[in-house]
Amino acid sequence: MGEPLPATGYAGDVSPALAWQWVQAGEAVLVDVRTEAEREWVGHVPGSVGLAWKQWPGMAMNPAFDAGVLAAAAEGRKVVLLCRSGVRSVAAARRATELGVAEAYNILEGFEGDPDQNGQRGRKGGWRFRGLPWRQG
């Protein structure tokens, strides 16, 4: 499952498996920064905190993000951030760090992974591809 990889502006990058290990051990809280629609229609991790980084439509910044991520980190646990592909979660991890969250990590590959040669996600890495727990609807 490995160790966190170093990153600039936040605690580091972790594999989906390591993030799940930390969550199961009670060491971390998983914050899903995708939109509510993405979590509902594409799938979500049971027990995760849904807290959009940007909101649909228009992908405007979520004004509730700062308070929400601080609340998620309030018990002193690591915060592991998940998005579709690992891009929004990097920005969210940097923001959480700016707010004083000491251990904010990006989950590599995101929920759906990178697009394959046909432009489709879910076949090249990602939370679902790795067989980790998720639910749809």
Side-chain angles (χ1 to χ4, degrees), residues 29 31 67-79 100-101:
V29 60
V31 176
V69 78
L70 289 172
E75 295 179 19
R77 292 183 291 174
K78 299 170 186 159
V79 175
V101 176

Short mmCIF file of all heavy atoms in Angstrom, two decimals, residues 29 31 67-79 100-101:
data_model
loop_
_atom_site.label_atom_id
_atom_site.label_comp_id
_atom_site.label_asym_id
_atom_site.label_seq_id
_atom_site.Cartn_x
_atom_site.Cartn_y
_atom_site.Cartn_z
N VAL A 29 -10.14 10.74 7.81
CA VAL A 29 -11.50 10.93 7.30
C VAL A 29 -11.37 11.19 5.80
O VAL A 29 -10.49 11.93 5.37
CB VAL A 29 -12.23 12.07 8.03
CG1 VAL A 29 -11.51 13.40 7.89
CG2 VAL A 29 -13.67 12.18 7.58
N VAL A 31 -12.72 12.84 2.53
CA VAL A 31 -13.55 13.95 2.07
C VAL A 31 -13.60 13.89 0.55
O VAL A 31 -12.58 14.00 -0.12
CB VAL A 31 -13.01 15.31 2.56
CG1 VAL A 31 -13.84 16.45 1.99
CG2 VAL A 31 -12.97 15.36 4.08
N ALA A 67 -15.11 25.91 5.93
CA ALA A 67 -15.70 25.47 7.20
C ALA A 67 -15.87 23.96 7.22
O ALA A 67 -15.65 23.30 8.24
CB ALA A 67 -17.04 26.17 7.44
N GLY A 68 -16.26 23.39 6.09
CA GLY A 68 -16.48 21.96 6.01
C GLY A 68 -15.22 21.14 6.19
O GLY A 68 -15.22 20.13 6.90
N VAL A 69 -14.14 21.56 5.56
CA VAL A 69 -12.90 20.79 5.69
C VAL A 69 -12.31 20.95 7.09
O VAL A 69 -11.74 20.00 7.65
CB VAL A 69 -11.88 21.13 4.57
CG1 VAL A 69 -11.17 22.45 4.83
CG2 VAL A 69 -10.89 20.00 4.39
N LEU A 70 -12.46 22.12 7.69
CA LEU A 70 -12.00 22.30 9.07
C LEU A 70 -12.81 21.43 10.03
O LEU A 70 -12.26 20.85 10.96
CB LEU A 70 -12.06 23.77 9.47
CG LEU A 70 -11.02 24.67 8.81
CD1 LEU A 70 -11.28 26.14 9.13
CD2 LEU A 70 -9.60 24.27 9.22
N ALA A 71 -14.10 21.31 9.79
CA ALA A 71 -14.94 20.45 10.62
C ALA A 71 -14.53 18.99 10.46
O ALA A 71 -14.47 18.23 11.44
CB ALA A 71 -16.42 20.63 10.26
N ALA A 72 -14.21 18.57 9.23
CA ALA A 72 -13.79 17.19 8.99
C ALA A 72 -12.48 16.87 9.70
O ALA A 72 -12.27 15.75 10.17
CB ALA A 72 -13.65 16.94 7.49
N ALA A 73 -11.60 17.87 9.81
CA ALA A 73 -10.29 17.68 10.43
C ALA A 73 -10.31 17.94 11.93
O ALA A 73 -9.28 17.79 12.60
CB ALA A 73 -9.27 18.61 9.77
N ALA A 74 -11.46 18.31 12.49
CA ALA A 74 -11.53 18.76 13.88
C ALA A 74 -11.05 17.73 14.89
O ALA A 74 -10.55 18.10 15.95
CB ALA A 74 -12.95 19.20 14.22
N GLU A 75 -11.18 16.45 14.59
CA GLU A 75 -10.78 15.43 15.56
C GLU A 75 -9.29 15.10 15.47
O GLU A 75 -8.83 14.16 16.11
CB GLU A 75 -11.62 14.17 15.35
CG GLU A 75 -13.09 14.41 15.66
CD GLU A 75 -13.92 13.16 15.44
OE1 GLU A 75 -13.37 12.04 15.39
OE2 GLU A 75 -15.15 13.32 15.32
N GLY A 76 -8.55 15.84 14.66
CA GLY A 76 -7.11 15.66 14.57
C GLY A 76 -6.69 14.51 13.67
O GLY A 76 -5.51 14.15 13.64
N ARG A 77 -7.65 13.95 12.92
CA ARG A 77 -7.29 12.87 12.01
C ARG A 77 -6.75 13.43 10.69
O ARG A 77 -6.97 14.59 10.36
CB ARG A 77 -8.51 12.00 11.71
CG ARG A 77 -8.99 11.22 12.92
CD ARG A 77 -10.15 10.34 12.57
NE ARG A 77 -11.32 11.16 12.29
CZ ARG A 77 -12.47 10.69 11.85
NH1 ARG A 77 -12.62 9.41 11.60
NH2 ARG A 77 -13.50 11.50 11.63
N LYS A 78 -6.06 12.58 9.96
CA LYS A 78 -5.64 12.94 8.61
C LYS A 78 -6.89 13.16 7.77
O LYS A 78 -7.92 12.55 8.02
CB LYS A 78 -4.83 11.81 7.99
CG LYS A 78 -3.56 11.46 8.74
CD LYS A 78 -2.96 10.18 8.20
CE LYS A 78 -1.78 9.77 9.05
NZ LYS A 78 -1.45 8.37 8.93
N VAL A 79 -6.77 14.02 6.77
CA VAL A 79 -7.85 14.24 5.82
C VAL A 79 -7.34 13.77 4.47
O VAL A 79 -6.32 14.25 3.98
CB VAL A 79 -8.26 15.73 5.77
CG1 VAL A 79 -9.30 15.96 4.69
CG2 VAL A 79 -8.77 16.19 7.12
N GLY A 100 -4.69 25.40 7.86
CA GLY A 100 -4.10 24.86 9.08
C GLY A 100 -4.29 23.37 9.30
O GLY A 100 -3.92 22.85 10.36
N VAL A 101 -4.84 22.66 8.32
CA VAL A 101 -4.96 21.20 8.44
C VAL A 101 -3.56 20.63 8.20
O VAL A 101 -3.00 20.75 7.10
CB VAL A 101 -5.97 20.62 7.43
CG1 VAL A 101 -6.01 19.11 7.51
CG2 VAL A 101 -7.36 21.22 7.67
#
